[in-house]
Amino acid sequence: MIADNLVVDARTGRRTTWGELVQQAGPRPSPTAHVVEHSVDALPAVAALEDGGELLVVAAGRLDEALAEELRGAGFDLAAGDDVQAATSHRATEDGRVWLLTSGSTGRPKRVGHTLASLSTVTGELAPRTWLCPYSPGTYAWWQVITLGLGVPGQDLVLVDPADLDDWVTPALEHGVTAVSGTPTFWRRTLMRHGAELRKLPLEQVTLGGEPVDQAVLTQLGEVFPDARVSWIYASSEVGASIVVHDGRAGFPVEWLGREVPGRPRLAVADGELVITSPHHGVDASGTELAGAVRTGDAARIEDGRVLVTGRLDRDELNVGGSKVSAGAVRDLLQSHPDVAWASVRGRKAPLVGTMVVADVVAGQGSDVNPDDLTRWAAERLPEYAVPRRIKMLAEIPAKETLKSDV
């Protein structure tokens, strides 16, 4: 069912409703990958899904020649506005199928299938809100916000393209935004760039997802938006929205591990990896359902009664001269420094110990903190082998089109 909520394109100021969007596009007879420059361009095809069709949405910036040929070979027509390139192989349309491309953090983006129903994991009534959607079109996080506006009464949307995020606060104020969802990288960049201006936003809901989250950014957001609920969501294309935490603390309670609750995912940690058995599984590119326990590839550790998700397993564990170091733990320690806005930690080959710890750091606004200061800070709190041997100061927080950093 399509709710008649409002949709605002922040780039043009154009206001429309989902009911009006339904009139703008009908279902295409063939599986179609819509290539869009702007979020709003994808919405007529999304609204038309109610009448059937098979849809994949991808931002033009993510589509290279190899991916385009891969999609055409998988039976998708490529539609960029009125320009349509036919599929190079034919298959019947699977009505109601929605395809997502993963972020590609472990290589090329993978295709995962869902339906509007499996993407809509919100249950119960929600207070009326106006959401800012800053995500790249077609990503799992984008669909999570879009399906809120599409199907949940009272949830209006303001769409901002990732390329226009340098100043999203102005249109958010203009259009009455009361809820914002973004990655931790998005929020750290926002806290750096907009500072006190953010306090003008009457936010009731602040959501973070898509990356590891640490206590420092949660605490800062709680201070800037004291009246808002601050939520961290763990979700992925493969297992859907699986963990939702509202208590303002990093990680989730250890008591949730192994808990059996009808309709909710079962969580586990095995060999330092987060494992999820979810009722919101999608299907893989062949159409096979991703059933059972899924090893997420994300590192998790238990600390002070919380399960902390620290980053990709293949990048998190560093072996420094035979001693194990969690890159995520070192990153969180650096980001807990009061003058640090962002940090990224990784291993670098070293002749004697095999790997040494190095870090990139962005200082907070107005701070003159330097690598020597941070080395001393780390040395007072970490074992000697875990202290970064090289710290490079960056001018600004790097982010990809998916609003994530490589952490």
Side-chain angles (χ1 to χ4, degrees):
M1 180 181 129
I2 292 181
D4 201 26
N5 296 324
L6 183 68
V7 178
V8 181
D9 180 14
R11 184 174 53 89
T12 63
R14 182 186 172 215
R15 302 164 72 88
T16 186
T17 67
W18 284 102
E20 292 167 344
L21 288 165
V22 169
Q23 309 301 318
Q24 296 178 18
R28 290 183 53 81
S30 303
T32 304
H34 284 266
V35 186
V36 297
E37 295 285 347
H38 309 291
S39 270
V40 70
D41 298 337
L43 299 194
V46 173
L49 264 178
E50 189 178 59
D51 296 325
E54 182 174 337
L55 174 65
L56 182 148
V57 173
V58 59
R62 295 192 68 198
L63 186 77
D64 58 23
E65 189 173 335
L67 180 57
E69 289 309 305
E70 182 180 317
L71 291 173
R72 293 176 69 201
F76 288 91
D77 289 346
L78 280 185
D82 295 329
D83 180 25
V84 178
Q85 297 181 52
T88 54
S89 68
H90 173 76
R91 63 180 172 83
T93 297
E94 187 180 357
D95 275 341
R97 175 62 71 201
V98 180
W99 292 100
L100 284 65
L101 295 173
T102 62
S103 62
S105 56
T106 57
R108 285 193 58 75
K110 292 181 295 186
R111 189 157 45 86
V112 178
H114 280 274
T115 64
L116 286 179
S118 68
L119 289 168
S120 306
T121 53
V122 172
T123 58
E125 292 187 5
L126 293 182
R129 287 187 177 127
T130 299
W131 286 84
L132 184 94
C133 179
Y135 294 111
S136 179
T139 59
Y140 184 84
W142 182 85
W143 277 105
Q144 284 282 280
V145 181
I146 293 299
T147 53
L148 261 182
L150 178 69
V152 182
Q155 308 303 307
D156 295 333
L157 302 182
V158 176
L159 303 178
V160 178
D161 294 312
D164 298 328
L165 285 177
D166 284 353
D167 181 21
W168 64 264
V169 177
T170 300
L173 284 166
E174 180 183 352
H175 299 295
V177 165
T178 57
V180 179
S181 175
T183 62
T185 293
F186 163 86
W187 281 113
R188 290 190 184 97
R189 288 164 64 101
T190 291
L191 288 163
M192 271 197 73
R193 289 182 175 179
H194 299 288
E197 186 186 4
L198 282 177
R199 297 180 186 275
K200 298 176 185 174
L201 279 171
L203 295 193
E204 300 163 357
Q205 175 66 51
V206 171
T207 301
L208 304 92
E211 290 179 307
V213 67
D214 62 286
Q215 191 59 52
V217 70
L218 291 172
T219 300
Q220 289 179 64
L221 289 169
E223 291 171 354
V224 173
F225 303 111
D227 298 326
R229 184 176 69 168
V230 178
S231 305
W232 171 66
I233 297 177
Y234 179 94
S236 74
S237 304
E238 292 88 349
V239 299
S242 301
I243 304 168
V244 183
V245 184
H246 303 298
D247 63 7
R249 297 179 59 195
F252 62 89
V254 71
E255 292 80 10
W256 292 9
L257 291 176
R259 190 176 59 168
E260 300 281 359
V261 179
R264 291 191 179 180
R266 185 177 186 279
L267 310 174
V269 175
D271 302 324
E273 182 178 7
L274 182 65
V275 179
I276 297 177
T277 306
S278 171
H280 309 304
H281 283 316
V283 300
D284 65 17
S286 70
T288 303
E289 187 171 355
L290 300 168
V294 171
R295 299 187 77 98
T296 63
D298 283 323
R301 73 174 190 273
I302 298 173
E303 185 176 304
D304 297 331
R306 307 288 283 191
V307 180
L308 304 176
V309 181
T310 53
R312 299 302 296 172
L313 195 66
D314 58 351
R315 294 197 292 260
D316 187 69
E317 186 174 292
L318 310 179
N319 187 329
V320 182
S323 299
K324 293 181 180 179
V325 176
S326 166
V330 179
R331 180 194 66 232
D332 290 351
L333 185 278
L334 290 173
Q335 288 181 160
S336 70
H337 189 288
D339 290 326
V340 169
W342 173 89
S344 173
V345 173
R346 63 189 182 280
R348 181 177 179 181
K349 288 184 179 178
L352 296 179
V353 293
T355 301
M356 67 177 183
V357 182
V358 300
D360 293 334
V361 171
V362 177
Q365 267 195 329
S367 167
D368 58 358
V369 70
N370 61 51
D372 290 341
D373 297 332
L374 296 175
T375 299
R376 282 193 293 274
W377 165 272
E380 292 168 0
R381 294 163 175 82
L382 293 171
E384 188 272 342
Y385 55 82
V387 176
R389 298 303 173 202
R390 194 202 68 172
I391 296 177
K392 180 180 179 182
M393 305 302 294
L394 304 183
E396 63 176 29
I397 299 172
K400 299 186 291 188
E401 189 171 355
T402 54
L403 306 186
K404 299 181 183 182
S405 296
D406 284 321
V407 296

